[in-house]
Amino acid sequence: MQDATSDERLRPGAGEELVFDATPTLAHKPTHYCPGCHHGIAHRLVSEVLDELGLAERAILVASVGCSAFSYDYFNVDAVESPHGRACAVATGIRRARPESIVFTYQGDGDMAAIGLAESVHAANRGENITAVFINNTVYGMTGGQMAPTTLLGQKTTTTPLGRHLLGEGGPIHMSEIMGGLAGVAYAERCALDSVKHIRQAKKALRTAFSCQMQGLGFSFVELLAGCPTNWHLDPLKANRRISEEMIPVFPLGVFRDVREERKQSEVQA
Amino acid sequence: MSRIVFLEERCKGCRLCMEACPAQIIRPAGRFNRQGYEVMETEGRCTGCASCALMCPDTAIRVFRDKSGGKTA
């Protein structure tokens, strides 16, 4: 690693200000993720939001299984590794036992939308006061590119070599829409990580989700459309383009639930 | 003039910064880091917009903005 203290270039010179650097909650170690993987961006956004809201000291991460299994290594917050898919159930326990803490899960699509669908949906429906960060890259990344519940129709994976077919394997599952329809959910938004504009929006969504938890409004959910260049067999730039060209038409971006807005409107009407 | 610095040992050579740069001043350097990834370099006038750093999945870019000129320097 480069030693930041010994290199003049890494410090602001006369008349300069440092406008972008790693935030303290993001551990300063290289990640194991593949080149162009968007997990790194999601990690950074979550860390920045925790630092900006001053939550890092009382935040507890519930890590999942998948490529994000090692996410506890990359956040400088307390963390619990949960069994596959059970992050929302573990987070429920932690949040109820330690109500002063800020609890968030970080899960991929195989973890949250497949094996852990029951735990996630029921935690959301109970209105557990936790935040779930859901990474949707339409594929099982760590195990080598098998079909996930979010895999697009026609997409080739190692378990759908002819492309996913609606009558054989079903269609892509829309988690934000499902979450947005549940009574206990305070906030549900889908964002993408493919462009600077979308990344800024994603950070705003994460900030709203964590502030909903701070206010005790219920379950907050942010879905992030992310790229997996390795298992899509594309280079990172083409993978980015695939998000905007193929994923966003199927998974439209936007807010699917915001109880703060609903309350505001009911106040206006009353 | 604003400038960016690449933390070369963190870089994985994905080139997302190259596409994110509105001024198109980032290009492959033809050098490789210890992990064997091709690192990037800049050539031209940086505006300090930090788009590359926002896009970088590995937080390998540090951005310094010129105080006198601000964004448009």
Side-chain angles (χ1 to χ4, degrees), chain A residues 7 12 14 16 29 44 64 67 69 75 110 112 115 124 132 142 166 191 202 221 224 254 256-257:
Chain A
D7 197 332
E16 281 182 342
K29 67 168 82 166
R44 196 190 67 229
S64 58
C67 284
F75 291 104
M112 183 178 233
I115 189 166
M142 175 178 256
L166 184 61
C191 301
F221 177 83
L224 301 170
F256 294 89
R257 186 75 188 271

Side-chain angles (χ1 to χ4, degrees), chain A residues 1-267:
Chain A
M1 289 298 297
Q2 282 168 328
D3 185 358
T5 52
S6 67
D7 197 332
E8 269 313 307
R9 293 181 315 125
L10 295 174
R11 278 177 289 181
E16 281 182 342
E17 64 174 325
L18 181 64
V19 290
F20 192 97
D21 194 14
T23 193
T25 296
L26 187 69
H28 202 74
K29 67 168 82 166
T31 63
H32 73 286
Y33 301 121
C34 306
C37 172
H38 288 167
H39 268 304
I41 303 177
H43 284 7
R44 196 190 67 229
L45 295 180
V46 172
S47 308
E48 286 175 354
V49 167
L50 289 175
D51 279 332
E52 286 166 16
L53 296 175
L55 300 177
E57 281 299 311
R58 56 191 179 112
I60 299 175
L61 157 72
V62 182
S64 58
V65 171
C67 284
S68 55
F70 301 113
S71 53
Y72 55 78
D73 254 354
Y74 306 133
F75 291 104
N76 288 326
V77 298
D78 292 328
V80 177
E81 176 71 38
S82 69
H84 199 350
R86 275 64 185 172
C88 286
V90 173
T92 298
I94 297 172
R95 191 63 164 82
R96 289 190 176 194
R98 305 197 58 160
E100 77 287 356
S101 55
I102 294 289
V103 183
F104 69 102
T105 71
Y106 186 100
Q107 301 173 266
D109 44 11
D111 191 78
M112 183 178 233
I115 189 166
L117 186 64
E119 281 77 6
S120 311
V121 167
H122 283 292
N125 194 40
R126 290 193 304 269
E128 298 296 343
N129 207 6
I130 55 176
T131 300
V133 182
F134 171 57
I135 307 293
N136 176 359
N137 57 11
T138 75
V139 82
Y140 275 71
M142 175 178 256
T143 47
Q146 290 83 5
M147 189 195 87
T150 46
T151 296
L152 304 183
L153 290 174
Q155 183 183 336
K156 286 181 182 171
T157 66
T158 54
T159 45
T160 53
L162 301 174
R164 186 178 190 174
H165 197 268
L166 184 61
L167 295 178
E169 292 93 17
I173 196 164
H174 290 70
M175 284 303 284
S176 289
E177 282 86 339
I178 293 174
M179 292 298 190
L182 299 173
V185 174
Y187 189 76
E189 180 167 355
R190 182 185 287 122
C191 301
L193 298 175
D194 65 321
S195 68
V196 175
K197 187 184 160 201
H198 287 155
I199 288 171
R200 287 187 203 277
Q201 180 57 35
K203 188 172 170 186
K204 225 169 114 186
L206 287 166
R207 193 182 291 126
T208 312
F210 278 102
S211 49
C212 281
Q213 184 180 164
M214 286 165 79
Q215 294 165 40
L217 296 177
F219 192 88
S220 46
F221 177 83
V222 179
E223 173 172 353
L224 301 170
L225 301 182
C228 182
T230 303
N231 288 305
W232 293 354
H233 308 291
L234 297 172
D235 68 46
L237 296 178
K238 283 188 190 140
N240 251 17
R241 255 168 255 142
R242 180 179 182 267
I243 295 179
S244 54
E245 287 166 10
E246 292 179 37
M247 281 174 76
I248 292 179
V250 179
F251 296 109
L253 307 183
V255 180
F256 294 89
R257 186 75 188 271
D258 190 348
V259 287
R260 301 168 314 151
E261 282 299 316
E262 289 167 21
R263 282 183 193 180
K264 250 186 241 169
Q265 280 172 5
S266 61
E267 276 167 24

Side-chain angles (χ1 to χ4, degrees), chain A residues 1-2 4 8-23 26-41 44-45 48 193-196 199-200 236-237 240-241, chain B residues 1-10 12-22 34-35 37 48-71:
Chain A
M1 289 298 297
Q2 282 168 328
E8 269 313 307
R9 293 181 315 125
L10 295 174
R11 278 177 289 181
E16 281 182 342
E17 64 174 325
L18 181 64
V19 290
F20 192 97
D21 194 14
T23 193
L26 187 69
H28 202 74
K29 67 168 82 166
T31 63
H32 73 286
Y33 301 121
C34 306
C37 172
H38 288 167
H39 268 304
I41 303 177
R44 196 190 67 229
L45 295 180
E48 286 175 354
L193 298 175
D194 65 321
S195 68
V196 175
I199 288 171
R200 287 187 203 277
L237 296 178
N240 251 17
R241 255 168 255 142
Chain B
M1 191 172 83
S2 302
R3 65 187 172 97
I4 60 173
V5 179
F6 293 101
L7 308 173
E8 290 190 355
E9 291 307 319
R10 290 184 69 86
K12 288 179 184 158
C14 68
R15 304 189 181 183
L16 292 183
C17 53
M18 198 169 91
E19 194 162 87
C21 179
R34 242 177 295 177
Q35 278 75 37
Y37 295 121
C49 70
S51 293
C52 52
L54 275 171
M55 199 69 223
C56 178
D58 296 289
T59 330
I61 300 174
R62 217 171 265 187
V63 184
F64 300 94
R65 194 176 289 161
D66 193 344
K67 278 187 204 165
S68 56
K71 268 187 179 176

